[in-house]
Amino acid sequence: MATPLQATLTEGRVPEQLKSLALPLVWGLMATMSLNAIETFFIAQLGREPLAALSFTFPVIMVLTSLGIGLGAGTSSAVARAIGEGDPHKAKRLATDAMSLTFIISASVCLLGWVTLEPLFLALGATPDLIPLIRSYMSIWYFSAPCLMVPMVCLSALRAMGMSQVQGYLMGGAALLNVLLDPLLIFGLLGFPALGLQGAALATLITRALMLVVALYILHARVHMLVTPFLPWQKLKASWMAIIEVGVPAMFANVIIPFASAIVVAMVAAYGTDAVAALGIAMRIEPLALIVFYALSGVVGPFFGQNYGAGRVERLQEALRVLTVFCLAFGLGLALLLGIFGAEIARLFGDHPEVVSITAAYFMIVPISYGAYGLVMSVNAAFNGLGRPWPAMIISSGRVFYIYLPLAWLGQHWWGMIGIFIATAFANLGLGIWAWCWLKTHIQQQTLLAEA
């Protein structure tokens, strides 16, 4: 039986492996997204001011989460390739050094956040009367930054070993614990103090601290992945650079996604409050619709990394074929469902005719491109897994700056708000073709090199 430090992803049927890796992440991501929605609902019961204060924290939390995702991508890529190469010592060294690097970065961010809390949030547009509420939340949340980012890197190392089910269980368990603690600490149930917004942050800190302990225990005691973090600077630097090489571009590629969403919101805002409300509904439903693609992209990187490290280029070709067929077929199914039931979904959030009409129009147009967008996610993850992060960075930035913005300007000029939706769909479709061709060409080049 293969040990965790053997290349378990280099043998067996490709479709079955990708399916078995992705399914646990689907449930874990679904639990996490549900938690975010439920926690927002709890805080909304406290009034408009706490909800507004929480809203101002989202950009900061999103940037720090993107930093963790980037470091996780770098870790997963480096560790998976080392395992594929049959070098368990290198894999252990990279995993351990990724933890130390992430802890140093996250602790520095925690300190910086504390020092700059008030000027930062005033610069983001928060009014002075909201600062005490924001401080009550973020002064605790910043302490949880290491407990957010280090587990993300731990779980990325486990994914690199083909152990995505562990991540699914941990994410699901953490979400359940958090949703149980939230009402106790926010509203003061069962004898707990009513801490309001501060209670939500404390529930997050407790959950993440426990998740960190469990993740480190699994890595150290169960799969024996961690070694001493103390070694000569030159060796440590080389290890950190292997992680940063993929991690930094992956972080920026991830940050571009909310940036693109902000552009869409700004353009739609010109058409009034109803249009923004409709877009808000669509943007809440969209991540849930795409959750399978998110999960799939989370396991594509380790799969490509292990097989590339092992020289199994033919499995990369097979994986690209499987990903293409699945993403396009699943995306078509999503487009049909949302196109048919888009208006009914919108009515769940209210029955204002204009809001329902605009939401339904969005779901008639944009989901046509979901299959292509899902393929882009997988292609970007594949490039990161191969240790080539810059194509993913160029593809993500290209979607916004080279494709979407010109199309959105033209679409808005010709067809108004509907033109913006059409531009979004065409940008996703064009980007999907571009990304697929790029990865296909790269794999063909690697095949020729392997045959030479």
Side-chain angles (χ1 to χ4, degrees):
M1 184 176 179
T3 67
L5 290 180
Q6 289 180 306
T8 58
L9 306 181
T10 58
E11 303 291 342
R13 295 186 68 247
V14 172
E16 292 301 320
Q17 280 195 330
L18 291 174
K19 176 184 174 182
S20 63
L21 288 170
L23 273 179
L25 286 187
V26 170
W27 305 119
L29 288 169
M30 193 172 293
T32 301
M33 289 185 179
S34 300
L35 162 67
N36 293 336
I38 294 170
E39 186 171 72
T40 302
F41 171 79
F42 286 149
I43 291 173
Q45 309 312 304
L46 300 175
R48 296 176 61 187
E49 289 79 11
L51 187 59
L54 182 69
S55 299
F56 276 108
T57 69
F58 286 160
V60 176
I61 292 173
M62 195 181 313
V63 169
L64 296 180
T65 302
S66 297
L67 181 58
I69 291 172
L71 290 168
T75 302
S76 176
S77 174
V79 172
R81 281 180 281 130
I83 292 173
E85 292 165 3
D87 192 342
H89 175 74
K90 181 180 178 182
K92 291 180 180 181
R93 182 76 268 157
L94 287 165
T96 303
D97 296 339
M99 305 302 151
S100 62
L101 174 64
T102 304
F103 178 78
I104 291 170
I105 291 175
S106 58
S108 301
V109 166
C110 175
L111 178 61
L112 181 63
W114 258 83
V115 173
T116 63
L117 194 150
E118 184 169 341
L120 172 62
F121 284 98
L122 287 173
L124 288 173
T127 54
D129 59 298
L130 287 179
I131 293 298
L133 284 171
I134 294 173
R135 184 186 303 280
S136 72
Y137 184 82
M138 290 303 293
S139 60
I140 295 176
W141 192 94
Y142 276 131
F143 273 114
S144 73
C147 299
L148 165 69
M149 294 169 61
V150 176
M152 290 176 75
V153 173
C154 289
L155 296 176
S156 296
L158 290 170
R159 279 206 317 274
M161 292 181 271
M163 298 176 65
S164 62
Q165 71 276 11
V166 176
Q167 180 171 2
Y169 295 145
L170 283 178
M171 290 174 69
L176 178 61
L177 176 61
N178 206 327
V179 83
L180 291 174
L181 288 175
D182 268 337
L184 300 180
L185 296 174
I186 293 172
F187 305 118
L189 304 180
L190 301 180
F192 285 86
L195 300 175
L197 200 58
Q198 198 172 44
L202 187 58
T204 299
L205 175 60
I206 293 170
T207 301
R208 287 178 178 166
L210 288 174
M211 189 174 180
L212 172 61
V213 171
V214 173
L216 289 175
Y217 169 77
I218 293 171
L219 273 176
H220 179 65
R222 298 293 297 275
V223 298
H224 310 291
M225 193 68 177
L226 300 182
V227 293
T228 176
F230 305 106
L231 71 163
W233 166 244
Q234 289 301 324
K235 292 183 177 179
L236 182 62
K237 179 182 175 183
S239 192
W240 283 357
M241 289 304 297
I243 296 159
I244 292 173
E245 182 183 13
V246 174
V248 171
M251 178 188 71
F252 282 107
N254 198 67
V255 169
I256 288 169
I257 296 171
F259 178 74
S261 299
I263 293 174
V264 176
V265 172
M267 297 182 77
V268 170
Y271 298 94
T273 304
D274 286 344
V276 174
L279 184 64
I281 293 172
M283 293 177 73
R284 285 182 179 90
I285 299 300
E286 197 167 69
L288 293 175
L290 299 176
I291 199 166
V292 171
F293 293 140
Y294 290 130
L296 190 60
S297 67
V299 301
V300 165
F303 181 90
F304 270 68
Q306 279 200 21
N307 283 282
Y308 180 71
R312 299 296 305 273
V313 183
E314 76 284 355
R315 288 175 61 81
L316 305 184
Q317 294 176 321
E318 172 68 5
L320 179 58
R321 185 191 67 78
V322 171
L323 291 169
T324 303
V325 172
F326 175 80
C327 288
L328 296 181
F330 191 79
L332 178 61
L334 286 176
L336 289 173
L337 285 173
L338 292 172
I340 294 170
F341 299 108
E344 284 70 20
I345 292 171
R347 290 191 184 97
L348 296 175
F349 295 83
D351 56 359
H352 194 289
E354 187 68 16
V355 173
V356 171
S357 174
I358 296 171
T359 306
Y362 183 95
F363 284 139
M364 283 293 293
I365 297 168
V366 177
I368 294 171
S369 66
Y370 280 172
Y373 188 54
L375 186 58
V376 170
M377 293 184 202
S378 289
V379 168
N380 284 350
F383 273 121
N384 286 334
L386 295 171
R388 290 177 52 84
W390 289 106
M393 173 67 179
I394 293 169
I395 289 168
S396 296
S397 59
R399 174 185 182 268
V400 178
F401 301 112
Y402 310 139
I403 302 177
Y404 173 70
L405 285 180
L407 287 177
W409 184 85
L410 290 173
Q412 186 179 35
H413 179 71
W414 288 335
W415 301 299
M417 182 175 55
I418 297 299
I420 299 174
F421 298 162
I422 294 172
T424 303
F426 271 94
N428 289 339
L429 291 168
L431 190 72
I433 295 171
W434 178 24
W436 184 88
C437 290
W438 198 341
L439 183 58
K440 177 76 170 177
T441 301
H442 180 71
I443 293 174
Q444 287 175 341
Q445 290 172 346
Q446 295 302 313
T447 302
L448 292 175
L449 288 174
E451 292 174 351

